[in-house]
């Protein structure tokens, strides 16, 4: 190997380490700030329930903000997926403050939404600025998008391995270069440790008892996992349904979250509880020890799908955790497995089905609940992945691989029968 080649390798190594470090530090810091701000607005809402009546005003503010200043970034996570698949132009940095402010407004006034979409979009927008700084080509830019997703996901949930894998798996069948794999892990860990350095804590979950694995236990696991997959399918289709309905019936975009906010505020008033507003973290935590009512997961599907479909900002993943954990918890009333293990299985399995990412979700389960839960959450994620249908929460995600082939074969057999 000649000297010029060695110099080139050293330069590329230093360049990408610098890029990963900077993305990790900035994305991790953005997530740390977001987590603190999110907790602050959540506390304000929980101590002032009347503020939910201002949800329409918050929706109008979000709608007007995106209509006049952010039409090119309104697609959110789907824009990141589209730019990865077909690079066109650098993602505007304004995506980060717009989604941050929009999500905080959503949660302040009681919208039912998550937080991962915000962190991923902030990470993606921050990361893509390096495209012009380093004059990166389209192949390198694809790596940049992966690094942004990885940093955002890892830092917001405190799961660096799952964050790196999620960024790779959500784009897995779109010709990921080998270079992206170690860089995704490096960025995820830097973003994760940045949040730790800011001393911002993540929610802790516990599965104290891992049941003995028997044939009967396995059958009950399969039964529960199929239901988790169906719940993921219902959530994905619900979100798309409300989004389509609002876009077809209300032509002026800023009015969609305004009218949606009116309906949500009235609905929350009549059901007489705020447990379905915001992230619902306390409900998720309780689901690991106390069996939930059988309709909790359905209400969360309804309210989150409606909130996001109307144009409020946030994410889908934490609501998916809520849906899966409460469904699993409720199933413990009829399924002879510990409440915590069912809640943990549902927690990651519904997420797996809705995002087509069973590997990342299995690893996430082990990071959150301990490696001892690996077999249980792995089976749940795999079965939910296959039983959740071909439509996920991201319009622009390319779905191929085993699941794609499974449903293509299913459609062909159905056509032949007809």
């Amino acid at each position: 190997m000649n000297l010029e080649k060695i110099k080139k390798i050293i330069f590329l190594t230093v360049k990408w380490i610098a890029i990963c470090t900077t993305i990790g530090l900035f994305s991790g810091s953005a997530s740390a700030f977001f987590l603190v701000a999110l907790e602050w607005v959540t506390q304000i809402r929980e101590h002032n329930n009347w503020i939910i009546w201002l949800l329409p005003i918050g929706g109008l503010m979000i709608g007007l903000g995106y209509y006049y200043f952010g039409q090119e970034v309104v697609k959110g996570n789907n824009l990141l997926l589209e730019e990865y698949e077909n690079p066109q132009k650098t993602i505007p940095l304004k995506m980060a403050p717009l989604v941050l402010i929009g999500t905080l407004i959503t949660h302040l006034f009681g919208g039912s939404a998550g937080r991962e979409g915000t962190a991923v979009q902030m990470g993606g927008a921050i990361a893509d600025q390096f495209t012009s700084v380093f004059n990166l080509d389209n192949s390198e830019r694809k790596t940049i998008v992966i690094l942004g997703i990885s940093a955002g996901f890892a830092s917001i949930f405190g799961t660096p391995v799952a964050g790196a894998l999620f960024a790779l798996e959500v784009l897995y069948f779109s010709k990921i270069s080998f270079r992206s794999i170690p860089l995704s892990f490096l960025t995820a860990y830097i973003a994760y440790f940045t949040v730790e350095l800011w001393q911002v804590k993540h929610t802790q979950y516990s599965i104290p008892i891992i049941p003995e694995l028997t044939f009967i236990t396995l059958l009950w696991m399969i039964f529960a996992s199929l239901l988790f997959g169906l719940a993921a399918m219902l959530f994905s289709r619900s979100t798309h349904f409300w989004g389509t309905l609002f876009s077809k019936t209300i032509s002026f975009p800023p009015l969609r979250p305004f009218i949606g906010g009116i309906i949500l505020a009235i609905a929350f008033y009549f059901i007489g509880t705020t447990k379905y507003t915001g992230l619902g973290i306390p409900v998720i935590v309780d689901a690991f020890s106390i069996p939930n009512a059988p309709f909790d997961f359905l209400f969360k599907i309804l309210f989150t799908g409606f909130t996001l479909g109307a144009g409020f900002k946030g994410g889908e993943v934490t609501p998916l955790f809520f849906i899966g954990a409460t469904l699993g918890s409720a199933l413990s009333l009829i399924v002879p497995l510990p409440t915590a293990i069912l809640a943990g299985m549902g927690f990651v399995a519904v997420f797996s089905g809705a995002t087509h990412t069973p590997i990342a979700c299995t690893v996430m389960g082990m990071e959150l609940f301990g490696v001892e839960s690996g077999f249980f959450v792995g089976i749940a994620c795999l079965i939910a992945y296959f039983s959740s249908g071909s439509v996920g929460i991201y319009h622009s995600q390319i779905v191929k691989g085993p699941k794609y082939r499974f449903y293509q074969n299913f459609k062909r057999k159905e056509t032949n029968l007809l």
Side-chain angles (χ1 to χ4, degrees):
M1 186 179 294
N2 59 44
L3 185 60
E4 286 301 315
K5 204 165 187 179
I6 294 174
K7 286 182 178 179
K8 184 178 180 181
I9 292 173
I10 292 174
F11 172 76
L12 288 174
T13 301
V14 172
K15 180 181 82 170
W16 280 105
I17 289 176
I19 290 173
C20 290
T21 301
T22 309
I23 291 174
L25 288 172
F26 277 98
S27 296
S29 296
S31 290
F33 173 81
F34 173 50
L35 286 169
V36 172
L38 188 57
E39 177 62 24
W40 180 62
V41 299
T42 299
Q43 290 300 318
I44 292 175
R45 187 192 70 243
E46 290 183 350
H47 290 92
N48 301 276
N49 285 339
W50 59 267
I51 206 171
I52 292 175
W53 289 108
L54 299 180
L55 190 56
I57 304 301
L60 184 62
M61 291 166 60
I62 294 170
L64 289 172
Y66 272 88
Y67 186 75
Y68 287 108
F69 305 108
Q71 289 196 31
E72 64 269 50
V73 297
V74 74
K75 290 182 180 179
N77 287 357
N78 287 298
L79 177 61
L80 299 180
L81 299 180
E82 289 173 9
E83 284 297 326
Y84 178 88
E85 184 63 27
N86 184 26
Q88 296 292 323
K89 58 182 181 179
T90 302
I91 296 166
L93 184 59
K94 64 182 175 181
M95 171 185 264
L98 277 171
V99 72
L100 172 64
I101 295 168
T103 303
L104 293 177
I105 290 173
T106 297
H107 284 277
L108 174 63
F109 297 119
S112 178
R115 55 189 175 181
E116 108 295 335
T118 307
V120 166
Q121 288 171 52
M122 289 194 299
I126 290 169
D128 208 17
Q129 305 314 302
F130 290 94
T131 296
S132 56
V133 173
F134 287 94
N135 195 27
L136 303 179
D137 59 29
N138 282 345
S139 173
E140 293 173 315
R141 186 165 177 242
K142 288 190 172 192
T143 299
I144 283 289
V145 173
I146 289 174
L147 301 187
I149 295 173
S150 172
F153 194 98
S155 57
I156 204 68
F157 292 123
T159 53
V161 180
L165 289 173
F166 177 79
L168 297 166
E169 194 175 11
V170 79
L171 301 165
Y172 180 71
F173 296 102
S174 299
K175 299 179 181 179
I176 284 178
S177 67
F178 175 77
R179 172 186 61 219
S180 301
I181 299 173
L183 296 180
S184 180
F185 279 91
L186 176 60
T187 307
Y189 269 99
I190 293 171
Y192 164 74
F193 282 118
T194 299
V195 175
E196 293 290 301
L197 286 173
W198 284 113
Q199 297 185 351
V200 176
K201 303 300 180 185
H202 295 95
T203 307
Q204 300 296 312
Y205 303 95
S206 174
I207 299 180
I209 300 174
I210 304 296
E212 183 182 351
L213 185 62
T214 65
F215 179 69
I216 299 299
T217 300
L218 183 61
L219 290 179
W220 282 114
M221 288 169 57
I222 293 172
F223 168 73
S225 301
L226 288 170
L227 295 181
F228 296 145
L230 294 176
M233 181 193 297
L234 182 59
F235 178 84
S236 298
R237 294 186 182 275
S238 170
T239 304
H240 298 325
F241 168 78
W242 290 115
T244 302
L245 182 65
F246 271 99
S247 62
K248 284 184 176 180
T249 55
I250 304 172
S251 58
F252 187 51
L255 284 180
R256 295 168 192 166
F258 175 73
I259 294 172
I262 294 173
I263 296 171
L264 281 169
I266 293 172
F268 288 137
Y269 172 76
F270 277 106
I271 64 172
T273 179
T274 59
K275 69 191 298 186
Y276 309 113
T277 61
L279 294 172
I281 295 293
V283 179
I284 299 174
V285 172
D286 288 344
F288 282 77
S289 57
I290 305 169
N292 278 87
F295 51 78
D296 279 343
F297 82 99
L298 287 172
F299 273 122
K300 193 63 174 178
I301 289 174
L302 173 63
F303 285 123
T304 302
F306 191 90
T307 297
L308 297 176
F312 287 91
K313 296 302 170 182
E316 300 92 347
V317 172
T318 304
L320 288 169
F321 295 161
F322 183 114
I323 293 161
T326 54
L327 174 56
S329 181
L331 285 174
S332 68
L333 296 172
I334 59 172
V335 174
L337 290 173
T339 301
I341 194 68
L342 284 167
M345 288 167 60
F347 185 105
V348 288
V350 175
F351 175 29
S352 167
T355 58
H356 316 299
T357 56
I359 299 173
C361 291
T362 298
V363 173
M364 185 179 205
M366 290 190 286
E367 284 188 286
L368 290 174
F369 314 133
V371 293
E372 301 84 3
S373 66
F375 182 79
F376 287 84
V377 297
I379 291 294
C381 289
L382 185 63
I383 293 175
Y385 164 72
F386 278 108
S387 62
S388 59
S390 56
V391 176
I393 57 176
Y394 304 130
H395 288 283
S396 302
Q397 186 180 13
I398 305 297
V399 182
K400 292 188 177 180
K403 185 173 188 175
Y404 174 80
R405 291 192 293 272
F406 173 78
Y407 280 99
Q408 285 297 106
N409 291 334
F410 181 78
K411 288 178 181 178
R412 279 196 292 268
K413 290 178 182 178
E414 190 178 55
T415 302
N416 292 335
L417 288 173
L418 294 174

